[in-house]
Amino acid sequence: MSAGNRQYVFLEIMKEVLWWLISAVIAGAVMYPLITKLHYKEVWTNGALLVIALTYFRWAIFLKDIYILRSKWVRFILIVFNVNFFVFVLRSMQGFMHIYDSYTLDAMGTPIRPLKPEDIDPLFRYFFDEINFTCVACMALAVALTVRIVLSHWKTAHHRLNAGNEE
């Protein structure tokens, strides 16, 4: 590997790390109303789902420009991962809905400082809306990214098979 190629790979990896950090900051901003009022029990799961949803959105849009997705093996592993990830998100969503259905603050987390009763309902509504959006976005974008990868592969295979055809 030449020095120029190594530098290119390093810059591509750094670009991907920067995008993951930007996604983490956005995830923190989305969860801000919850984490400022509670010791939120599901902060890591919720944050990871938000980061993955944002990353999958970017990957689905810019599939051909993402360096790590140029390898067929990485794409194959991602497709296999997405099948399992879809089921994981579905089960996580059921767990989140169990928290919402219990409608007790202890199920979501312990308050940082005592909350007024009129502050609890808007907090649960925000939790419900944010969790539904995050889980649905994760599942939809996992499917969209998988379809995009498969269509990209089929398009490339079609061009290879019809390379000598003149129509």
Side-chain angles (χ1 to χ4, degrees):
M1 184 181 271
S2 69
N5 196 18
R6 245 181 295 178
Q7 184 179 11
Y8 174 75
V9 170
F10 176 75
L11 290 175
E12 288 292 328
I13 291 171
M14 292 307 296
K15 182 171 70 171
E16 192 65 29
V17 168
L18 179 64
W19 274 112
W20 279 79
L21 289 173
I22 290 169
S23 296
V25 168
I26 293 170
V30 169
M31 292 188 307
Y32 184 77
L34 296 171
I35 59 179
T36 56
K37 296 179 182 169
L38 299 170
H39 294 289
Y40 184 37
K41 290 180 182 178
E42 299 293 333
V43 70
W44 294 110
T45 305
N46 192 357
L49 291 177
L50 278 165
V51 168
I52 290 172
L54 292 167
T55 301
Y56 274 18
F57 177 75
R58 185 174 54 85
W59 284 0
I61 300 291
F62 302 111
L63 180 67
K64 295 197 187 278
D65 297 331
I66 307 296
Y67 180 76
I68 61 173
L69 295 179
R70 290 182 186 165
S71 168
K72 290 179 190 177
W73 290 107
V74 171
R75 289 180 179 197
F76 174 75
I77 291 169
L78 190 59
I79 288 171
V80 172
F81 172 78
N82 280 345
V83 172
N84 295 307
F85 180 66
F86 188 91
V87 174
F88 171 77
V89 173
L90 198 56
R91 290 182 58 102
S92 295
M93 188 173 184
Q94 289 173 338
F96 289 135
M97 288 303 109
H98 178 71
I99 292 171
Y100 180 75
D101 289 342
S102 73
Y103 215 75
T104 60
L105 208 52
D106 291 336
M108 201 180 338
T110 55
I112 293 174
R113 57 190 162 282
L115 293 173
K116 299 176 203 167
E118 59 268 8
D119 292 339
I120 295 173
D121 186 54
L123 190 65
F124 268 98
R125 289 187 189 280
Y126 184 81
F127 171 75
F128 179 77
D129 293 340
E130 189 264 333
I131 285 303
N132 276 328
F133 175 77
T134 300
C135 291
V136 170
C138 270
M139 290 185 292
L141 289 167
V143 169
L145 181 60
T146 301
V147 168
R148 179 88 198 277
I149 289 171
V150 169
L151 289 177
S152 173
H153 179 74
W154 280 348
K155 183 179 176 185
T156 304
H158 178 73
H159 284 308
R160 283 190 202 137
L161 288 174
N162 295 324
N165 258 353
E166 293 182 19
E167 297 185 45

